[in-house]
């Protein structure tokens, strides 16, 4: 079983991802979510970066749903719980890595594959984080201190959040 914080965070994630508010997750929720994220970064839903995020989200949904067309909250918790249990880190990375990479693609304005301070501020503002916190958060995510956030560094933070090890929420 995933721990209580991890389960609670899955519930929050469910509510966030149920983009049409139908009470269940469907592929269409992820198409909508990707379009909303793209819009938050000022990119059109038909841009290559938005398409890449849509593909990453829908393939993540398919991996979690395992062929089911729709997941209720309980079904989602049951299906995603094993990804947020101690020992499942590499599986989590496999499923969520492409999504984080997709968000990086949308946010990476200078196209160097990494997120600098300015790009990160745009990201956090898009997910509703107070602008005054961006510099501190940047330092927390930039584990190697090179002034750029890599996909791996960002994925680690998303994973730590979902494992209940950190309170830094990067996916809104
Ligand atoms: Ca839905
Ligand atoms: Ca960049
Ligand atoms: Ca770094």
């Amino acid at each position: 079983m995933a721990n209580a914080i991890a389960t609670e965070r899955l519930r929050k994630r469910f509510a966030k991802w149920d983009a049409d508010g139908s009470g269940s997750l469907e592929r269409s929720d992820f198409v909508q979510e990707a379009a909303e994220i793209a819009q938050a970064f000022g990119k059109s839903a038909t841009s290559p970066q938005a398409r890449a995020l849509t593909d990453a989200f829908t393939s993540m949904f398919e991996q979690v749903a395992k062929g089911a067309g729709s997941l209720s909250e309980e079904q989602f918790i049951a299906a995603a719980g094993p990804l947020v249990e101690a020992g499942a880190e590499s599986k989590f990375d496999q499923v969520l890595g492409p999504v984080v990479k997709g968000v990086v693609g949308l946010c990476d304005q200078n196209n160097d594959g990494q997120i600098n301070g300015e790009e990160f501020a745009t990201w956090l503002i898009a997910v509703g984080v107070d602008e005054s916190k961006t510099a501190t958060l940047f330092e927390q995510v930039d584990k190697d201190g090179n002034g750029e956030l890599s996909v791996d560094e960002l994925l680690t933070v998303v994973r730590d959040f979902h494992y209940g090890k950190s309170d830094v929420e990067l996916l809104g």
Side-chain angles (χ1 to χ4, degrees), residues 49 52-53 56 96-107 113 123 151 155:
Q49 295 91 339
L53 180 62
L96 266 299
V99 170
V100 172
K101 203 170 168 213
V103 178
V104 167
L106 279 165
C107 186
W123 176 328
V151 171
L155 179 56

Side-chain angles (χ1 to χ4, degrees), residues 7-17 161 169 172:
T7 303
E8 196 44 47
R9 288 181 177 176
L10 285 181
R11 283 188 206 286
K12 198 180 158 217
R13 175 88 9 243
F14 176 91
K16 166 81 179 134
W17 277 345
F161 177 80
E169 162 74 288

Side-chain angles (χ1 to χ4, degrees), residues 110-134:
N110 65 1
N111 285 315
D112 66 353
Q114 306 208 80
I115 299 302
N116 63 30
E118 202 178 311
E119 292 163 343
F120 191 59
T122 310
W123 176 328
L124 292 174
I125 292 161
V127 302
V129 174
D130 194 297
E131 197 172 355
S132 66
K133 293 183 180 153
T134 59

Side-chain angles (χ1 to χ4, degrees), residues 142-150 153:
D142 186 18
K143 292 264 161 43
D144 68 4
N146 71 345
E148 295 280 348
L149 308 180
S150 66
E153 285 171 335

